[in-house]
Structures are given as structure tokens and as C-alpha cells.
Amino acid sequence: MNPHAVPSITPYSLLVSLRQHRRLIVSLIQREVLIRYQGSLLGLLWSFFNPVLMLAVYTFVFSVVFKARWAGGSDSKTEFALVLFAGLMVFGLFSECVNRSPSLVVSNVNYVKKVIFPLEILPVVAMGAACFHLLISLTVWLIFYSIFFGIPPATIFYLPAVLLPLVLLSLGLSWLLASLGVFIRDIHQVVGVAVSVLTFLSPVFYPIVALPEDFRAVVQLSPLTQVIEQSRDAMIWGKHLDWQSWLIYLFISGLIAWLGFAWFQKTRKGFADVL
């Protein structure tokens, strides 16, 4: 690799890089997952127990303390917990990637100094680790759903398609924020606040239909609203995917992913100078 060469910003070059470095990506994802639980008593088992504990806590707080009920659902506390947890899983995938992104390059200075290291895969590695935790949470959700309600609706197989635009959106923002995090060190605090605000501006803890008409338009502006609602439709309510809105969301997310990657590639030559 020529150190003076201008990195390509085409989507094809990204696909080529991912294919060439697929083994490295898998290895780094495994390392990310294992390091998180290294030294803990239960080790990797925490990745399973953590969503179980969160599911129990949210069930108690919202359905017992606040006596909340999901609009359009039954009075079952278990159903409320599973509906809530479905939204939390989707939001968790987004927040884990975006919250980590400003420090991806800064915390891997040794990789920046290596001319041949493909820095563009760092957000992909973070996404891979987030997807692993999503799969563990989904497993917990499936176990509880099967115990209390039986086999989930067949529409649950839409879930990978539903999450695809969110993955692209998160990657695009991760490339952008990973680059900005090198030059603007307090971007991490800004992102943390923005994600916290987005938690309550997205239908994570409530359905859109529970909001007054004047506020629904505001929540619809959240980039997570559609994917959270469609995930619940597929996982719980048995509704088919709205392909038209999905295609629009996929196109916009793909565009954001490419723009974020292009920004990252255009600015990466300055990383070593700053760090």
C-alpha cells in the first residue's frame, strides 16, 4: 500500500476492503467481545445475564411501579416487557455504535501509525460487536416470548431486513464521528447528550399512537422511529413489512453510509499528524 496514495471513497473500494480483511475483522470482533468481559467472574455469561436483568428491571419499573400498559396490547405485564425490550434492543444497537464511534480512532493510535492497517474497518468491528450483543438479547427475548406466548409470528423473519437500514445508518455516522473525534475531542460529550435525548424522542418506551397528534410529527423525525416500529410489528404484532417506506429508508441510510465513509477516507491522512 502506497502511503501517499489517496484513499478511494467509492462503495466498491469499501466492499473490496471488507472482503480482503474479513478474517482480521472477525478476529477483532472476537477480541472486542472478550475484552469487555475479561477479568469478570462470569466472563462471557454476562452478555446473557445482562439483558435478562434489564428485562426484569424494566418490567418492574414500568409495569409494576408506573402501571404502564402498551396501547393496542393486552394488560399482560410480560407482554409489556417484551414490547419494551424489543425497542430497547434496536436502540441499543444504534447507541452502542454511535456512542463508541468518537473514540474509535483516538483509542487505537497504534493502528494509525501502521501504514498498512485498514482504519476504515474500525466502525465495522464496533458494529460487529454490537450485533453480537443484539443476538444475545434477541435470544433472551425469544426464550421469554416462547415460554409465555408460544412460537413468535412468522413475520419475525423480516427482522434482518428491518435492521439493515439501521446498520447502514449507524456505520455512516460512526465513520463520520470517528473522524471528527480525532480533531474535535469534546465531540464524545456532544454525542452522549444527543443519544440520550434521542432515547426519549424515539418510541422506545411508548407507542406513537399514545402521543397527541401535534407531537407525533416530532417523533417521526427520529431516524430510529421507523425501524423500532417495524421491528415490533415483525416480532410481536405479526404485521408485514411496508416495503415502500423500507426502500426509502434503505436508500437514505445507504447514502449516509457512503457519505460517512467518504468523509472518513478524505480526512484519514490527517489522523497521524493530530495524534
Side-chain angles (χ1 to χ4, degrees):
M1 179 178 179
N2 183 359
H4 301 291
V6 178
S8 176
I9 65 172
T10 64
Y12 177 74
S13 66
L14 172 61
L15 294 176
V16 170
S17 177
L18 295 179
R19 182 182 61 83
Q20 290 178 342
H21 304 103
R22 59 188 181 276
R23 292 183 180 177
L24 175 61
I25 292 172
V26 172
S27 176
L28 290 175
I29 291 174
Q30 293 174 343
R31 178 175 172 269
E32 284 280 330
V33 172
L34 293 175
I35 284 180
R36 175 172 299 192
Y37 304 102
Q38 190 176 34
S40 60
L41 184 63
L42 296 178
L44 198 58
L45 285 176
W46 274 116
S47 64
F48 179 83
F49 286 121
N50 186 59
V52 172
L53 292 172
M54 293 306 298
L55 180 57
V57 168
Y58 281 115
T59 302
F60 175 76
V61 171
F62 286 94
S63 62
V64 178
V65 177
F66 293 124
K67 301 185 183 303
R69 295 294 181 268
W70 202 266
S74 66
D75 290 335
S76 169
K77 297 176 182 178
T78 306
E79 181 188 73
F80 179 90
L82 292 172
V83 173
L84 180 64
F85 196 60
L88 286 169
M89 286 192 298
V90 175
F91 186 83
L93 177 67
F94 173 83
S95 62
E96 181 175 345
C97 293
V98 173
N99 277 327
R100 287 192 57 201
S101 55
S103 61
L104 284 178
V105 177
V106 176
S107 60
N108 291 287
V109 179
N110 54 322
Y111 292 155
V112 177
K113 304 299 183 180
K114 296 178 180 179
V115 176
I116 61 172
F117 187 85
L119 292 175
E120 69 275 4
I121 71 170
L122 291 177
V124 179
V125 171
M127 172 58 71
C131 286
F132 170 80
H133 293 110
L134 174 67
L135 286 175
I136 298 298
S137 297
L138 180 59
T139 301
V140 171
W141 186 93
L142 287 170
I143 292 173
F144 276 80
Y145 189 96
S146 300
I147 291 173
F148 292 100
F149 299 103
I151 300 175
T155 51
I156 195 172
F157 290 106
Y158 285 133
L159 190 58
V162 172
L163 294 176
L164 178 59
L166 180 64
V167 170
L168 293 175
L169 173 66
S170 301
L171 283 173
L173 293 176
S174 294
W175 275 310
L176 172 65
L177 295 171
S179 172
L180 291 178
V182 176
F183 305 103
I184 308 174
R185 294 303 174 89
D186 55 355
I187 195 71
H188 192 279
Q189 284 72 25
V190 175
V191 170
V193 172
V195 171
S196 297
V197 171
L198 201 58
T199 307
F200 299 99
L201 290 181
S202 304
V204 177
F205 301 106
Y206 54 83
I208 293 182
V209 295
L211 295 174
E213 289 286 347
D214 296 339
F215 293 99
R216 292 183 189 180
V218 177
V219 176
Q220 289 287 2
L221 293 176
S222 168
L224 300 176
T225 294
Q226 179 175 316
V227 67
I228 291 175
E229 291 286 287
Q230 289 186 341
S231 295
R232 286 179 174 140
D233 287 344
M235 297 170 65
I236 300 169
W237 312 126
K239 296 181 181 179
H240 291 281
L241 194 60
D242 182 352
W243 291 106
Q244 182 177 0
S245 61
W246 179 82
L247 285 172
I248 295 173
Y249 188 25
L250 180 66
F251 173 78
I252 295 174
S253 299
L255 180 61
I256 292 174
W258 174 69
L259 291 174
F261 172 70
W263 172 270
F264 186 90
Q265 293 292 80
K266 287 289 188 180
T267 57
R268 64 185 292 172
K269 290 183 69 68
F271 294 170
D273 296 333
V274 176
L275 297 175

